[in-house]
Amino acid sequence: MSYYPVFLNLDAQPCTVIGGGSVAARKVEGLLDAGAAVEVIAPRLHPALAALHTAGRIRWRAGTYPELALDAPVLVIAATDDAAVNRAVSANCRARRIPVNVADAPELCSFILPAVVDRSPIKIAISSAGTSPILARRIKARIEAELPARYGALARFAERWRTPVREAVPDPAARRRLWEETLDGPIAERVLDGRESQADALMQTALAGTSPARGEVYLVGAGPGDPDLLTFRALRLMQQADVVLYDRLVTPAILDLVRKEAERIYVGKARSHHAVPQEEINARLIALARAGRRVLRLKGGDPFIFGRGGEEIDQLAAQGIPFQVVPGITAASGCAAYAGIPLTHRDHAHSCVFLTGHPKDAALGVDWRTLTQPMQTLVIYMGLQGLASICAALIAHGLAPSHPAAVIQQGSTSAQRVVVSDLAHLADAVSTAALKAPTLVIVGEVVRLRERLRWFGLEEQSENAFTAPGA
Ligand code: SAH
């Protein structure tokens, strides 16, 4: 069977739904969304339908078909649990040439209902011609993931600018080029981001023919390593960038998802162990954006957590370069989840502190007493180098030597390793296991929960030097 796809204008048109259950309720909602004047024939109404009836949004004829006959609807949907009624409705409608759909009975339908991706005013209807509704739903899920939630706003933006653009750019080929650039570039990005007044301003400049500075910077958190932990927005911007600046924490699997044509610039630590200085990265971001390029600054985890993202946007803002920041899953969340260690817990931790263990930062002064509060989890970034002294300091300021602690190497990747121990033995256990950066330290009673929860996590190498009392 090959179906003819159409979109019906049902505005204020009489439509009848036969049946008053939850399936009928869903169909009624769809019809109301399209502006139809809906009448329901059913002896009783599902609470959702009863609410619509009370609100005056539907008409209800209490009773059953065929005792209650069809008036002259333009469309009928039957969703009763009585197969004979459904068949009778179908036969009657077909005889009268009224389009009819019977829920879950394609052979009784003169039209079928597609799976819909709704980005109103844009709607995408998917049909497998009844062969596999599940497959159609899968396709729907993929398109849902692909299309930004605010895509409808982009359609309305295009509608709003249609006439001004036609007037300013009479040549159809030039106009098409302008629209392609608009819908694929920084202007669209601003609409999708909810900054429509900026998009309008850029559109104005584009039409005035003055060459606007079109470059911008996307400061994007790439998560802790597993590409599946990227956000939809991160992926979208990764596929739009002209050039990407990335560092050591961005895994090759993630870098693979950046647009193939994008120039790749590594700004992390080289073999010489010297990273490109932050001032130089800032200067490069500014120069590339000034040259009109879409610059992706891709960072491990979240850009605003020990990522110096704040410094980068500070410079961009000072120079008037447009930018947007996309959060990512920070190492604490990613590593904790993949290692089976909850960061808070009703019985074990009511607060969680993220801190840097980098010796340079630690030297600036740490209030150790606040870090050794009971019922608190500590997550220490960059803690490998100073691990022994951190553990010693925590013990000196009141935590028990037997206080549980774990180190997670390359969390969320296939190279993840976890060493579980206690404060007294953690540094030794880690050096025996020869863990390599990046590693994250988690200190707290919650570490003990890993034994119970770990079957959720990755298959990984695990060194467990910790034996809980009584375990
Ligand atoms: N902005 C990043 C943190 C950058 S600081 C974020 O939000 O995650 C760098 C430190 O992050 C590393 O030294 C390490 O402590 C931690 N880290 C980042 N990714 C990690 C991973 N996959 N596994 C373990 N630690 C990680």
Side-chain angles (χ1 to χ4, degrees):
M1 177 88 68
S2 172
Y3 287 85
Y4 183 62
V6 292
F7 285 89
L8 289 179
N9 176 353
L10 289 181
D11 196 34
Q13 299 295 304
C15 296
T16 301
V17 174
I18 300 169
S22 61
V23 177
R26 277 203 302 280
K27 312 288 181 200
V28 166
E29 273 157 19
L31 290 169
L32 287 176
D33 275 350
V38 181
E39 156 192 271
V40 175
I41 297 178
R44 281 171 306 280
L45 292 184
H46 180 274
L49 287 174
L52 289 172
H53 180 242
T54 313
R57 299 199 51 209
I58 59 173
R59 185 176 158 221
W60 177 30
R61 285 203 280 150
T64 51
Y65 179 92
E67 288 71 35
L68 292 177
L70 294 173
D71 291 337
V74 302
L75 181 143
V76 171
I77 297 179
T80 78
D81 48 14
D82 184 330
V85 169
N86 287 346
R87 265 199 308 279
V89 173
S90 172
N92 181 286
C93 288
R94 283 173 175 241
R96 293 170 60 187
R97 307 258 166 93
I98 300 172
V100 61
N101 175 276
V102 179
D104 291 328
E107 70 287 358
L108 298 180
C109 294
S110 66
F111 70 93
I112 56 176
L113 296 172
V116 176
V117 177
D118 189 354
R119 299 286 188 275
S120 286
I122 291 179
K123 282 196 177 162
I124 300 168
I126 304 149
S127 155
S128 66
T131 52
S132 172
I134 300 211
L135 194 60
R137 280 204 290 276
R138 289 264 157 110
I139 297 170
K140 167 178 150 75
R142 291 178 64 169
I143 298 177
E144 290 279 10
E146 185 71 22
L147 278 193
R150 289 179 50 86
Y151 221 70
L154 190 57
R156 286 190 296 274
F157 175 86
E159 181 187 37
R160 191 148 44 78
W161 279 95
R162 210 167 135 170
T163 309
V165 168
R166 194 179 313 118
E167 280 162 8
V169 190
D171 173 42
R175 197 159 64 230
R176 198 187 51 219
R177 256 198 322 279
L178 176 79
W179 274 123
E180 279 171 0
E181 278 172 21
T182 302
L183 297 177
D184 206 22
I187 296 182
E189 203 39 63
R190 281 186 179 64
V191 177
L192 296 176
D193 200 23
R195 293 176 292 167
E196 293 212 17
S197 50
Q198 286 187 22
D200 284 334
L202 282 179
M203 198 67 186
Q204 202 83 59
T205 348
L207 290 191
T210 51
S211 65
R214 301 176 50 86
E216 62 179 335
V217 175
Y218 312 136
L219 185 57
V220 174
D226 182 348
D228 279 1
L229 296 181
L230 287 169
T231 61
F232 292 147
R233 184 180 289 182
L235 190 60
R236 187 173 83 240
L237 296 176
M238 285 161 71
Q239 290 175 353
Q240 271 180 26
D242 299 315
V243 49
V244 52
L245 281 76
Y246 65 101
D247 45 44
R248 192 172 47 93
L249 288 174
V250 176
T251 58
I254 287 176
L255 205 57
D256 271 353
L257 296 173
V258 175
R259 192 163 75 102
K260 292 282 169 280
E261 296 76 24
E263 182 189 348
R264 285 156 165 70
I265 302 177
Y266 179 69
V267 292
K269 275 188 191 159
R271 283 226 192 84
S272 63
H273 294 290
H274 286 303
V276 177
Q278 189 62 46
E279 299 68 44
E280 198 179 319
I281 297 178
N282 297 347
R284 271 196 182 180
L285 292 175
I286 290 164
L288 287 164
R290 284 247 165 84
R293 304 179 76 185
R294 287 174 288 183
V295 187
L296 173 69
R297 175 68 175 109
L298 197 56
K299 287 175 166 290
D302 181 279
F304 280 179
I305 295 182
F306 303 125
R308 305 189 76 170
E311 294 163 53
E312 287 173 14
I313 58 171
D314 192 37
Q315 290 296 312
L316 296 171
Q319 302 291 325
I321 308 264
F323 61 86
Q324 57 170 303
V325 182
V326 181
I329 293 186
T330 189
S333 306
C335 295
Y338 281 61
I341 301 172
L343 294 177
T344 64
H345 190 284
R346 274 180 76 128
D347 302 329
H348 306 289
H350 292 175
S351 63
C352 175
V353 177
F354 295 178
L355 62 146
T356 158
H358 196 287
K360 264 196 216 147
D361 302 321
L364 297 177
V366 177
D367 184 357
W368 292 99
R369 277 165 318 165
T370 63
L371 298 180
T372 52
Q373 299 300 309
M375 301 279 273
Q376 178 165 274
T377 305
L378 303 179
V379 179
I380 307 168
Y381 289 70
M382 297 169 279
L384 189 59
Q385 217 184 323
L387 187 60
S389 54
I390 292 168
C391 292
L394 289 172
I395 294 172
H397 288 85
L399 288 183
S402 63
H403 198 69
V407 175
I408 301 152
Q409 165 192 295
Q410 286 167 285
S412 86
T413 72
S414 57
Q416 172 171 314
R417 290 173 69 197
V418 181
V419 170
V420 176
S421 184
D422 58 24
L423 285 177
H425 302 100
L426 187 65
D428 282 346
V430 164
S431 82
T432 308
L435 294 194
K436 288 188 292 288
T439 57
L440 191 80
V441 184
I442 301 182
V443 178
E445 293 294 338
V446 286
V447 169
R448 288 186 210 271
L449 298 169
R450 167 174 159 79
E451 283 309 310
R452 274 199 269 154
L453 300 177
R454 59 176 306 190
W455 54 275
F456 284 121
L458 289 178
E459 266 183 49
E460 56 174 16
Q461 285 175 272
S462 165
E463 283 74 10
N464 193 344
F466 176 69
T467 31

